[in-house]
Amino acid sequence: MSASASIRAVQEQWRLSNRKPIIMCHIPWLLFLMALHLLRLVATAADDQFTFDSFAGENLTLDGTAAVTADGLLMLTNGTTLLKGHAFYPSPLRLRGGAASGGAVRSFSTAYVFGIVSEYADLSSPGLAFVVAKSNDFSTALQSQYMGLANAANNGNATNHFLAVELDTIVNAEFGDMSNNHAGINVNGLVSMVADDAGYYEDGTGAFRNMSLLNRTAAQVWVDFDARTSRVNVTMAPLELPKPRKPLLSATVNLSAIIDGGEAFVGFSSSTGVVSSRHYVLAWSFKMDGPAPPLNTSKLPALPVAILKPDLSKTLKIVLPIASAAFVSALAIVALMIRRRWHKYAELKEDWEVAFGPHRFSYKDLFHATKGFCDRHLLGIGGFGRVYRGVLPVSRLEVAVKKVSHESRQGMKEFVAEVVTIGQLRHRNLVQLLGYCRRQGELLLVYDYMPNGSLDKFLHSQNSLVLSWGQRLRIIKGVASSILYLHEDWEQVVLHRDIKASNVLLDADMNGRLGDFGLARLYDHGTDPHTTHVVGTMGYLAPELGHTGRASKASDVFAFGVFMLEVACGRRPVVQDEHGDPHLLLDLVLERWRHGTITDAVDQRLQGDFAVEEAMMRNQVANSHSSSSTVAGNISDIPRVR
Ligand SMILES: Nc1ncnc2c1ncn2[C@@H]1O[C@H](COP(=O)(O)OP(=O)(O)OP(=O)(O)O)[C@@H](O)[C@H]1O
Ligand SMILES: *[C@@H]1O[C@H](CO)[C@@H](O)[C@H](O)[C@H]1NC(C)=O
Ligand SMILES: *[C@@H]1O[C@H](CO)[C@@H](O)[C@H](O)[C@H]1NC(C)=O
């Protein structure tokens, strides 16, 4: 009802009441009642229409995130995610005419300017809606896709009693949303009766022009309800354009069913989802029974420019490749590290080795024990590889690790089996073989560590300590007893095949210990010049080996005999004379023996400090039951070489 219509109604009542005869004393009372009625009508008339070019200081009913900003903007959501906000005109409007609430529904028209400011340029929260509702209490409504209008249980129920015009920026399949940029007319729920892409029809051409709800620019919307036709028309346009003639949406709604009482609240509802966004209403006008007062769009405060994140897709376009590249390279580095680590400690292990498990060392342990096989831990370099000192990680046992390079895997099984067998040998004059490890092209043998190194250094090094006769004899006896053990006392006959001074190691008590055994097999494959194709070392080889090529106890004993001479004489088995010609030490000794000057052959460095009896082995020869006598006997039996 317009103001003039209200006044006409007052005049009508005035006329009607004047027609009846009225007692004079009642006149002041009637006048008072009339004044009251008039006042009410004027108030109603004022409520029938309003215009907010700014919301500053205006009395609106706000709830949730809704607030009026310092600029006078009505902010429905404040950027916090998953919240809702409502703003209603404080008093309900008489949506039905006549004094009784059952009167005909009246036309109304509203215009408003809205703006959505999302964190991302192409992604936002659900949106906002203009609402005409029986109640302004939306406390049970949900945020996110329900836009603060309904919840999962009551969505679409007739008891909701609302008409909403949604500006929806999210596609919700459950509500049959068409796009993330659409407008819709909704009754009692989030499923639109009609919906269309945000935009407008150009007045001249009738062409449809798209508009973006998310471009952070304010735009205007008109909602017109024509009571005569029961049609709701929704029209949108950019701020600079007048209201287009053709509405974007049009639907017939039974407003009297929606608003069953006489009054209804008008306002806005909005909510945020998981993306931070702000929904604003910049200006709003409303009028019953006529077109909404035009808004002065030129004087509106600007939409706040929040600290906006760049376009999400742009962000992804930039960040994603970098992130994935970083991820891939991180993965590659990790893989490389694992591979390197794996490679660093990689071993060669075959099924048949399972049985030898206890004798197998992990390469990693040996690697750490020897500090990565560093030169500081190098004990010496033999004919077939380097020997390193190490301390085993757990047991703290001192070991010598011999690294033998080998390419052939041929005979490896037999060899390892032999290594393991030899590992079972226990004798105080043997260097204990603790176990082995295998890698690609490499075999590692782990021995007990002998702190005083190999005997040949003491015998042949110029600046080393001179071993006394007593020490020498003890070493010889020790080695002899170990050979006896190998040959006779163990369940199998073990041939050392490479008895020599450099393979006799000295423990802390300067006991001689035979070591480096068991490599003979491997030596078969060796091509080292130090060895002949026959197993063993030049100078120690028994003469028959040259013919048969077969090692025997006797060939071991022959080598031991040479070793004994080497220790007693302090000279290498093959000596060079003044002309540089090689001679066997054995021949020299035999020559002296025949001349009866055997004691001349004893090491000069002893300066005569030795037991002649022992050197000549006179007593031992008589006693043919001792192990040494066998050796002596053998030596005397040896036919001349050369
Ligand atoms: N168990 C051990 N404890 C301490 N030092 C050792 C041990 N085994 C070997 N060595 C040291 O490592 C050096 C090299 O030993 P290796 O047995 O490889 O060489 P070799 O006996 O001189 O020659 P070949 O390989 O021809 O037998 C030895 O001279 C010795 O000083
Ligand atoms: C938004 O409003 C809610 C509820 O009033 C409040 O808890 C929150 O802190 C507000 N967020 C911001 C960014 O102002
Ligand atoms: C032999 O080793 C022990 C223990 O390491 C040491 O005490 C001794 O001096 C060494 N003997 C010689 C002759 O080097």
Side-chain angles (χ1 to χ4, degrees):
M1 192 194 287
S2 69
S4 55
S6 319
I7 288 163
R8 265 204 307 277
V10 172
Q11 285 168 344
E12 184 74 8
Q13 272 191 345
W14 178 253
R15 202 163 47 79
L16 284 174
S17 54
N18 270 351
R19 256 205 294 214
K20 287 193 176 161
I22 292 160
I23 304 158
M24 286 305 282
C25 66
H26 283 160
I27 286 170
W29 177 239
L30 278 171
L31 277 172
F32 174 73
L33 276 179
M34 262 165 46
L36 210 71
H37 195 68
L38 200 73
L39 270 171
R40 215 188 121 221
L41 282 174
V42 167
T44 310
D47 281 354
D48 276 357
Q49 147 174 6
F50 54 82
T51 302
F52 298 121
D53 287 324
S54 162
F55 293 92
E58 297 291 352
N59 174 28
L60 290 181
T61 306
L62 306 177
D63 70 42
T65 50
V68 173
T69 67
D71 289 355
L73 300 183
L74 172 57
M75 177 174 69
L76 295 169
T77 61
N78 63 5
T80 302
T81 55
L82 291 169
L83 287 176
K84 57 179 178 172
H86 301 96
F88 283 100
Y89 189 70
S91 54
L93 302 179
R94 295 208 65 79
L95 233 72
R96 284 175 159 192
S101 58
V105 184
R106 295 163 66 192
S107 298
F108 69 83
S109 166
T110 189
Y112 56 94
V113 175
F114 75 96
I116 299 172
V117 179
S118 171
E119 190 179 15
Y120 298 103
D122 52 357
L123 197 64
S124 184
S125 287
L128 78 160
F130 167 76
V131 194
V132 180
K134 187 179 176 183
S135 161
N136 63 359
D137 177 11
F138 283 86
S139 54
T140 61
L142 289 178
Q143 73 293 21
S144 197
Q145 74 259 44
Y146 290 95
M147 230 179 268
L149 291 170
N151 58 47
N154 72 5
N155 186 36
N157 285 0
T159 51
N160 286 349
H161 294 294
F162 71 75
L163 163 74
V165 174
E166 64 168 33
L167 297 173
D168 197 332
T169 53
I170 279 196
V171 180
N172 266 302
E174 53 181 315
F175 305 147
D177 283 351
M178 57 181 299
S179 71
N180 67 346
N181 191 54
H182 69 270
I185 298 174
N186 298 12
V187 172
N188 295 331
L190 276 297
V191 181
S192 303
M193 297 174 69
V194 289
D196 208 344
D197 284 322
Y200 64 96
Y201 294 94
E202 252 179 19
D203 277 349
T205 62
F208 182 74
R209 297 276 175 241
N210 276 312
M211 285 171 68
S212 166
L213 300 176
L214 285 176
N215 65 359
R216 295 166 188 159
T217 347
Q220 193 167 4
V221 177
W222 294 265
V223 178
D224 301 288
F225 175 69
D226 183 350
R228 211 167 31 81
T229 58
S230 289
R231 282 199 87 75
V232 175
N233 284 348
V234 177
T235 317
M236 284 184 76
L239 284 191
E240 59 276 11
L241 291 188
K243 182 181 178 182
R245 277 203 301 274
K246 185 178 176 188
L248 174 66
L249 304 171
S250 186
T252 307
V253 296
N254 185 356
L255 199 61
S256 61
I258 300 167
I259 313 301
D260 56 351
E263 297 180 321
F265 290 90
V266 292
F268 298 90
S269 177
S270 179
S271 72
T272 50
V274 291
V275 173
S276 166
S277 48
R278 294 179 171 83
H279 297 90
Y280 294 96
V281 177
L282 293 80
W284 180 26
S285 73
F286 186 94
K287 187 170 171 21
M288 299 292 312
D289 303 319
L295 296 170
N296 187 353
T297 55
S298 59
K299 278 199 191 150
L300 292 175
L303 263 186
V305 188
I307 313 140
L308 298 170
K309 295 198 178 156
D311 206 313
L312 186 63
S313 54
K314 251 184 229 160
T315 315
L316 289 182
K317 263 177 223 151
I318 297 164
V319 171
L320 219 60
I322 296 172
S324 42
F327 182 72
V328 166
S329 34
L331 220 66
I333 289 168
V334 168
L336 214 73
M337 272 162 65
I338 291 173
R339 210 191 107 92
R340 266 188 61 177
R341 203 182 151 78
W342 180 85
H343 196 71
K344 191 173 165 188
Y345 299 133
E347 296 176 15
L348 212 67
K349 215 170 201 168
E350 288 172 71
D351 289 346
W352 52 263
E353 289 184 75
V354 173
F356 308 134
H359 299 275
R360 183 151 183 154
F361 283 83
S362 84
Y363 185 73
K364 195 178 167 184
D365 279 355
L366 298 182
F367 187 89
H368 288 305
T370 57
K371 299 276 181 292
F373 298 100
C374 73
D375 283 348
R376 248 181 341 104
H377 285 246
L378 186 67
L379 287 169
I381 302 170
F384 287 88
R386 293 159 172 260
V387 181
Y388 296 86
R389 181 174 56 82
V391 180
L392 288 180
V394 178
S395 57
R396 312 304 307 165
L397 190 71
E398 271 195 299
V399 292
V401 182
K402 185 165 185 168
K403 247 182 159 188
V404 184
S405 63
H406 75 95
E407 295 308 327
S408 96
R409 289 165 71 175
Q410 217 183 327
M412 187 43 77
K413 185 173 174 177
E414 290 74 18
F415 176 72
V416 170
E418 215 163 289
V419 164
V420 170
T421 308
I422 286 162
Q424 293 167 358
L425 299 172
R426 293 279 183 288
H427 191 273
R428 70 195 142 79
N429 294 106
L430 287 179
V431 179
Q432 177 76 41
L433 176 61
L434 299 170
Y436 76 102
C437 177
R438 235 150 56 79
R439 298 187 85 205
Q440 188 69 50
E442 209 169 45
L443 178 78
L444 297 111
L445 295 169
V446 184
Y447 292 98
D448 255 345
Y449 174 67
M450 295 294 123
N452 287 316
S454 64
L455 175 63
D456 66 333
K457 268 185 278 185
F458 288 98
L459 294 178
H460 307 304
S461 249
Q462 238 49 69
N463 45 10
S464 76
L465 177 129
V466 178
L467 293 175
S468 71
W469 180 254
Q471 280 175 315
R472 292 180 199 218
L473 205 65
R474 203 151 74 103
I475 291 164
I476 289 170
K477 282 179 175 171
V479 173
S481 76
S482 72
I483 295 170
L484 184 67
Y485 171 74
L486 293 177
H487 286 181
E488 310 289 344
D489 294 350
W490 206 60
E491 48 205 71
Q492 279 177 294
V493 174
V494 179
L495 299 181
H496 189 284
R497 304 208 280 186
D498 199 15
I499 296 166
K500 57 179 177 177
S502 74
N503 281 342
V504 171
L505 296 155
L506 299 171
D507 64 16
D509 303 323
M510 296 300 278
N511 287 310
R513 292 204 191 200
L514 190 57
D516 210 10
F517 44 92
L519 279 183
R521 217 7 92 75
L522 198 74
Y523 286 0
D524 283 342
H525 308 293
T527 52
D528 194 278
H530 292 303
T531 58
T532 63
H533 76 281
V534 175
V535 169
T537 304
M538 279 298 273
Y540 295 91
L541 292 175
E544 78 272 16
L545 275 174
H547 308 296
T548 65
R550 285 185 57 200
S552 61
K553 287 190 212 173
S555 57
D556 263 4
V557 172
F558 183 92
F560 173 72
V562 176
F563 161 76
M564 224 163 42
L565 295 181
E566 185 179 357
V567 176
C569 306
R571 302 183 73 177
R572 292 191 187 277
V574 180
V575 293
Q576 287 180 331
D577 61 16
E578 51 273 23
H579 310 295
D581 293 329
H583 295 279
L584 285 178
L585 174 63
L586 179 60
D587 286 339
L588 299 180
V589 176
L590 278 175
E591 212 174 282
R592 293 241 158 79
W593 187 48
R594 286 194 189 101
H595 285 95
T597 56
I598 183 123
T599 49
D600 291 354
V602 175
D603 195 345
Q604 300 297 306
R605 293 193 293 170
L606 286 172
Q607 294 170 332
D609 188 8
F610 63 95
V612 178
E613 306 289 289
E614 287 167 346
M616 295 176 72
M617 286 204 291
R618 267 190 212 131
N619 302 339
Q620 282 87 344
V621 172
N623 179 3
S624 62
H625 292 294
S626 87
S627 57
S628 309
S629 73
T630 321
V631 174
N634 271 348
I635 288 175
S636 47
D637 290 349
I638 287 167
R640 271 185 58 91
V641 211
R642 291 193 335 158

